Amino acid sequence: LDMGMTKEQVMAIMGKPDLNEAYQSLYGRSVVIFFYYTQRKWADGNTTKDECTPVVFENGKLVGWGDEFYKRKMEVDVNVKRQ
């Protein structure tokens, strides 16, 4: 993956995401997160976010991936008003 890729380019490489979510940040940016199943934690047959690697898009472009990036992005974009 390379920064700036579109969602379509990422899906061409990674396939369809297992889960996804979207929100508008406090700064008015459109944020979409694809979650790709990468590690089994539960043997229940359900896919949960904690078993996935998040891939984050902002205004349609890839801006980062991984748990730490996702957590920081959510803190800045969503939780900033709570501080």
Side-chain angles (χ1 to χ4, degrees), residues 37 39-48 51:
Y37 181 78
Q39 56 188 336
R40 186 174 121 186
K41 287 189 175 185
W42 317 107
D44 60 5
N46 296 318
T47 301
T48 58
E51 296 176 305

Side-chain angles (χ1 to χ4, degrees), residues 43-63:
D44 60 5
N46 296 318
T47 301
T48 58
K49 287 182 190 177
D50 63 342
E51 296 176 305
C52 296
T53 298
V55 178
V56 183
F57 300 88
E58 189 172 272
N59 292 333
K61 301 292 182 177
L62 181 63
V63 294

Side-chain angles (χ1 to χ4, degrees), residues 8-69:
E8 293 77 15
Q9 289 172 317
V10 170
M11 284 194 295
I13 294 168
M14 303 283 295
K16 182 180 172 190
D18 296 282
L19 303 168
N20 64 70
E21 66 183 40
Y23 63 88
Q24 184 170 355
S25 75
L26 294 173
Y27 308 103
R29 298 179 191 123
S30 171
V31 179
V32 174
I33 301 100
F34 287 172
F35 293 90
Y36 287 97
Y37 181 78
T38 54
Q39 56 188 336
R40 186 174 121 186
K41 287 189 175 185
W42 317 107
D44 60 5
N46 296 318
T47 301
T48 58
K49 287 182 190 177
D50 63 342
E51 296 176 305
C52 296
T53 298
V55 178
V56 183
F57 300 88
E58 189 172 272
N59 292 333
K61 301 292 182 177
L62 181 63
V63 294
W65 58 86
D67 289 331
E68 289 304 313
F69 180 84

